[in-house]
Amino acid sequence: MAGSDHSGSNGVLTRLALHDRHEALGARFAPFAGWEMPLQYEGIVGEHHAVRERVGVFDVSHLARAWVEGPDAAALLRSVTTFDVTTLPVGKAHYSLYCTEDGGIEDDIFLYHLPGDRWLVIHNAANADKDFERLRAVAGDAASEVTPETVMLAVQGPEAVALLSSVLGDGFAGLEQRDCAELDWNGTSVLVARTGYTGEDGGECIVGADHAPALWDAFTEGGATPAGLGARDTLRLEAALPLHGNDIDTTTHPYEAGLGFAVTLDDGAPFTGREALVEAKAQPRTRRLAHLVAKERGVLRAHYAVHEPGTEEPVAHLTSGAFSPSLRLGVGMAYLPVRLAKPGVTLEVDVRGRALPVEVVRRPFYRKPKD
């Protein structure tokens, strides 16, 4: 997911509530969608491996958080999101999309259904203001933004569930994938969900800003390695998870992006972009988001041109690319013509004038070792 320009008219970046904690840990900061975010602490590769092998904690408070509440909340959300949230039981979370009238992806979001007809919606930071306006347009005062007064932490890795359970208690230990609940922790409420953006198990926690330092300390003192945006990006790319603004945007529709699971059409309910998506689903694909692994040393980057061997005109450009610390190879994604978007196809990426051989593979790039 991406982020909202919350900087004021003077262009000052918004600081995280835990900025001092990050600074004390030696974080290197970088601007991201109006926020001053930790890019890395001791190093992207080390933080990446800590999450893959043990457990890491991310401050993802730049992601926007809004409530929609009341008996009509589910129906109101259904009118603007692609997934039929009215079927989502209390205590469950689901991925969904906001689309344009012509089926382009304006944002990807997560929705959490809590008791009492309450729904929490997580938006990408770059789209936060526009996304909240979308909610207010259909829900009015039933929608409220709580980003400034809350903090969101993601605890991820093979040891994450054990750490979350030791800190938060049996209430977290009993959650299954995509479950969510509100738990009491040291006298305050923490919204927890068995979700994440790394391809690892773990959970995400939302807590009031006043109590966030103590929760962060509990995770780090419990063994979680602080990890920044750099590792979050390499982890999500290895897991082949799309980043809005790179791999999906208003020029892409869910079916060519492999996100058809986030679209419900059979209920017949109207939502923004429904007619276009009905047509898109019925039409043969002309391109598909494909996953490329370098066959030699070389780092793939977004916007690099992809060629068929021996041709000058590119067939696509990478939407994302990076060095994979787990595979020790370059990996990337691109919208390829369907005839080329097949595992085993060999292509070339122009890496600063060098034709780097790449192979199309099945997603994800990285798969967790079996126990």
Side-chain angles (χ1 to χ4, degrees), residues 155 160-176 179 181 183 192-195 201-205:
V155 182
V161 171
L163 176 58
L164 285 157
S165 299
S166 69
V167 172
L168 298 172
D170 293 341
F172 185 86
L175 298 183
E176 298 180 352
D179 279 0
L183 305 178
V192 298
R194 191 87 176 265
T195 52
D201 204 349
E204 295 172 303
C205 307

Side-chain angles (χ1 to χ4, degrees), residues 246-247 289-293 299-306 314-322 330-336 348-351 356 358:
N246 283 51
D247 311 301
L289 186 61
H291 304 80
L292 310 173
V293 172
V299 179
L300 306 181
R301 299 292 185 199
H303 310 301
Y304 283 5
V306 183
V315 293
H317 289 80
L318 295 179
T319 56
S320 283
V331 299
M333 297 193 282
Y335 284 91
L336 295 179
E348 294 175 344
V349 173
D350 185 346
V351 179
L356 178 66
V358 297

Side-chain angles (χ1 to χ4, degrees), residues 234-269:
T234 55
L235 289 159
R236 71 90 193 167
L237 183 52
E238 285 187 349
L241 299 173
L243 175 65
H244 191 270
N246 283 51
D247 311 301
I248 51 176
D249 57 28
T250 55
T251 70
T252 61
H253 68 67
Y255 298 108
E256 63 188 0
L259 300 176
F261 68 91
V263 181
T264 307
L265 298 175
D266 55 10
D267 64 339

Side-chain angles (χ1 to χ4, degrees), residues 61-75:
S61 302
H62 63 299
L63 297 175
R65 300 170 287 284
W67 286 100
V68 179
E69 304 179 65
D72 299 324

Side-chain angles (χ1 to χ4, degrees), residues 48-49 238 293 323-331 365-367:
H48 178 108
H49 286 310
E238 285 187 349
V293 172
F323 174 77
S324 162
S326 301
L327 303 179
R328 301 191 62 78
L329 290 169
V331 299
F365 296 105
Y366 171 83
R367 288 177 172 82

Side-chain angles (χ1 to χ4, degrees), residues 4-156:
S4 149
D5 192 349
H6 282 71
S7 54
S9 58
N10 58 3
V12 175
L13 296 172
T14 298
R15 283 190 166 184
L16 298 167
L18 296 179
H19 181 91
D20 290 348
R21 285 291 196 283
H22 304 310
E23 192 170 48
L25 289 164
R28 286 177 50 192
F29 293 92
F32 185 76
W35 292 80
E36 188 174 11
M37 296 293 296
L39 178 64
Q40 59 179 300
Y41 298 85
E42 296 187 358
I44 292 173
V45 173
E47 293 161 25
H48 178 108
H49 286 310
V51 174
R52 284 279 181 254
E53 298 167 9
R54 298 179 300 281
V55 57
V57 58
F58 303 82
D59 186 342
V60 291
S61 302
H62 63 299
L63 297 175
R65 300 170 287 284
W67 286 100
V68 179
E69 304 179 65
D72 299 324
L76 294 172
L77 286 168
R78 178 63 181 125
S79 72
V80 292
T81 62
T82 58
F83 179 72
D84 182 10
V85 297
T86 65
T87 65
L88 195 64
V90 172
K92 283 291 185 180
H94 206 284
Y95 181 81
S96 189
L97 307 167
Y98 292 147
C99 282
T100 62
E101 289 290 358
D102 60 4
I105 302 172
E106 284 200 300
D107 204 3
D108 61 339
I109 64 175
F110 241 93
L111 301 114
Y112 303 80
H113 189 187
L114 281 303
D117 295 322
R118 297 155 60 239
W119 296 77
L120 183 74
V121 188
I122 304 295
H123 297 137
N124 279 304
N127 306 314
D129 294 336
K130 185 176 181 180
D131 285 351
F132 184 62
E133 289 174 6
R134 182 193 300 262
L135 293 182
R136 287 299 297 267
V138 296
D141 291 340
S144 59
E145 186 174 12
V146 293
T147 307
E149 61 261 35
T150 58
V151 163
M152 185 170 180
L153 305 177
V155 182
Q156 304 280 287

